[in-house]
Amino acid sequence: MDIAAMVADIRRRPDFHKAGMLLCHNGVVRGHARDGRKVKGLRVAVDHVRLDRILAGQRKRPGIIDIRVAIAEDRDLAVGADVMILVVAGDIRENVIAAMTDTLNQIKTTVTEKTEFFE
């Protein structure tokens, strides 16, 4: 998972000149769960069929040039480790932020399943 490599790959697209914004999300393992319990790590499972469907749909949104995602799946992750990198490239801020928000929410609610390990 290399955010710089993902951005560089998008920049090499022949249509990158249409982009006015690159927005990056880098999710990491928190030290505490939402309910306050202390976390020592987590594991993420990914539904790739759903992920591909979501990305295909989001890439068709007006003004979106590309969307890339990398998810650290099927391995134990420690606090502070990268869980997901999501990069959205598009024309204007409103289009890019909306695509980032929708894509991230869909991935978190329908694509990934996390198992947290507590202390």
Side-chain angles (χ1 to χ4, degrees):
M1 294 183 26
D2 183 344
I3 198 166
M6 292 169 76
V7 168
D9 196 38
I10 291 172
R11 287 178 174 274
R12 285 191 288 273
R13 291 177 54 99
D15 59 348
F16 184 71
H17 66 278
K18 296 177 184 176
M21 181 179 195
L22 282 164
L23 186 59
C24 304
H25 162 84
N26 189 172
V28 299
V29 179
R30 287 189 314 269
H32 290 85
R34 287 180 180 248
D35 65 8
R37 290 183 290 168
K38 193 166 183 171
V39 171
K40 66 178 180 179
L42 65 82
R43 178 177 278 263
V44 179
V46 176
D47 181 331
H48 288 278
V49 172
R50 283 188 181 158
L51 178 60
D52 292 345
R53 196 174 324 139
I54 288 166
L55 293 176
Q58 292 295 318
R59 287 178 179 131
K60 292 178 184 176
R61 292 175 71 123
I64 298 305
I65 308 300
D66 200 358
I67 301 176
R68 303 288 174 99
V69 65
I71 303 170
E73 63 179 304
D74 298 329
R75 60 183 181 257
D76 292 343
L77 302 170
V79 171
D82 292 335
V83 178
M84 177 170 57
I85 296 173
L86 177 60
V87 181
V88 178
D91 58 356
I92 60 174
R93 179 180 67 250
E94 294 83 5
N95 290 339
V96 176
I97 292 172
M100 171 65 81
T101 301
D102 290 348
T103 304
L104 182 57
N105 287 337
Q106 287 182 51
I107 290 171
K108 295 283 287 177
T109 59
T110 68
V111 170
T112 59
E113 185 177 320
K114 71 179 181 181
T115 302
E116 292 176 304
F117 304 112
F118 301 100
E119 292 193 7

